[in-house]
Amino acid sequence: DASSPGEHWLPFLDPATLDKQKPAEASDPKTIHFYGFKGGQARTTVLAMLAKSLADDGYRTLVVDADIEAPSLDVVLDAAPNSLGQTVLGLMDSELPIEPISGYTSPEGAGGIDLLACRPNSREFDMDFAAFVLRTSLDVSSLEIAIDKLINWVKTESKTKYDLILFDHRSGLATSVLPIMKACPAVICLRIDDQSINAGPIFDILFSQTKELPGAYVSFSLDPEETRDSLLGSKGSKINQLLDRLGFAIERGSTHYKLSDED
């Protein structure tokens, strides 16, 4: 009862609790959370491709590997986090400096990618990381505090001005997802597939976290024979249902704030 409903999935699954939750304003710099209801959706790959495209267009992007059970952004970006200050694990120490590492520098201009990896790649941190995963499962507010530290650093102390922050999340009902989104409200990017297409109530919870631009769906097929028409023919009704949920989230946020202002 003493915990904030923004930190746990269970209270949000009660429609009455979801209705009372006040959505937050989107953050500055702009942030996108990459989330999927299941694993193996190419979520991390799409995030990295978007970050690289943004870098080539001249943007400075910070990518954060918040997949605390199976992190892989350092592998995708071919970066080597060696110290705690370069990781989300290091954010748990309030006194430790934050030192993201370079993941990509565009040859075409000033754009680039900095990475805050999930953990150092040395095996000597295996026990620390296991303890970190356990702690954040039992006390999700600790992760929210850690991300607050990161956002404050970006706004006040970072020597690099970031245009965007991209978070790579764990899938499903991972306990790390909601506290991070609460600490840094932003657009939620969801991958549509046959398994996650029925996860509407979970998406409602995620969309309720932010008033402005609550989310977006991303869908693509790995079948080279599939066309847009065949995709819409097989999944069109489901896609429309999910788009309706997104529309309701936008309407709910606007209505909530309008009523609050009148009060």
Side-chain angles (χ1 to χ4, degrees):
D1 291 340
S3 298
S4 164
E7 297 170 357
H8 301 277
W9 290 99
L10 282 175
F12 276 113
L13 291 169
D14 177 359
T17 306
L18 178 63
D19 238 17
K20 295 176 182 177
Q21 177 69 7
K22 182 178 179 180
E25 299 284 354
S27 60
D28 183 28
K30 296 298 183 184
T31 306
I32 303 176
H33 292 280
F34 282 75
Y35 167 88
F37 186 66
K38 63 176 287 292
Q41 298 180 308
R43 180 186 65 250
T44 302
T45 303
V46 172
L47 183 156
M49 291 171 64
L50 174 60
K52 181 178 181 297
S53 178
L54 289 167
D56 289 339
D57 285 340
Y59 293 97
R60 296 293 309 178
T61 302
L62 175 66
V63 298
V64 182
D65 196 341
D67 184 347
I68 66 172
E69 293 179 33
S72 61
L73 260 179
D74 58 317
V75 177
V76 173
L77 294 174
D78 194 24
N82 297 312
S83 69
L84 282 172
Q86 300 170 336
T87 67
V88 172
L89 176 59
L91 293 176
M92 303 299 286
D93 184 339
S94 61
E95 302 300 321
L96 198 68
I98 300 174
E99 301 171 327
I101 57 176
S102 176
Y104 173 75
T105 300
S106 173
E108 302 176 17
I113 303 171
D114 283 351
L115 165 68
L116 194 70
C118 190
R119 53 155 293 174
N121 58 8
S122 171
R123 289 191 61 186
E124 68 178 281
F125 292 98
D126 284 354
M127 186 69 75
D128 301 270
F129 186 62
F132 165 65
V133 174
L134 177 61
R135 177 182 175 183
T136 54
S137 297
L138 299 174
D139 177 17
V140 293
S141 63
S142 62
L143 195 53
E144 182 183 339
I145 293 170
I147 299 301
D148 269 334
K149 173 188 172 183
L150 171 64
I151 299 306
N152 288 333
W153 173 81
V154 169
K155 290 181 177 180
T156 62
E157 299 179 39
S158 171
K159 295 179 181 178
T160 302
K161 168 130 176 39
Y162 294 112
D163 301 296
L164 286 142
I165 306 175
L166 308 183
F167 282 90
D168 192 17
H169 280 275
R170 192 65 181 150
S171 58
L173 294 174
T175 54
S176 61
V177 174
L178 281 179
I180 293 176
M181 290 186 180
K182 181 186 176 188
C184 188
V187 174
I188 317 299
C189 180
L190 303 157
R191 166 86 161 88
I192 295 176
D193 64 12
D194 288 335
Q195 293 186 44
S196 63
I197 208 163
N198 293 315
I202 303 304
F203 296 167
D204 286 343
I205 294 172
L206 298 178
F207 287 150
S208 74
Q209 300 302 303
T210 312
K211 172 198 169 189
E212 298 177 5
L213 303 173
Y217 292 115
V218 177
S219 183
F220 56 87
S221 174
L222 299 177
D223 181 359
E225 302 295 323
E226 187 162 46
T227 65
R228 183 177 186 276
D229 289 341
S230 64
L231 176 66
L232 292 177
S234 60
K235 298 185 175 69
S237 62
K238 291 288 187 180
I239 290 174
N240 284 334
Q241 289 175 24
L242 293 175
L243 290 175
D244 283 343
R245 289 184 180 275
L246 179 54
F248 292 146
I250 295 171
E251 182 180 23
R252 174 182 171 274
S254 300
T255 303
H256 191 118
Y257 268 74
K258 184 177 181 181
L259 291 176
S260 297
D261 290 341
E262 287 177 356
D263 292 340

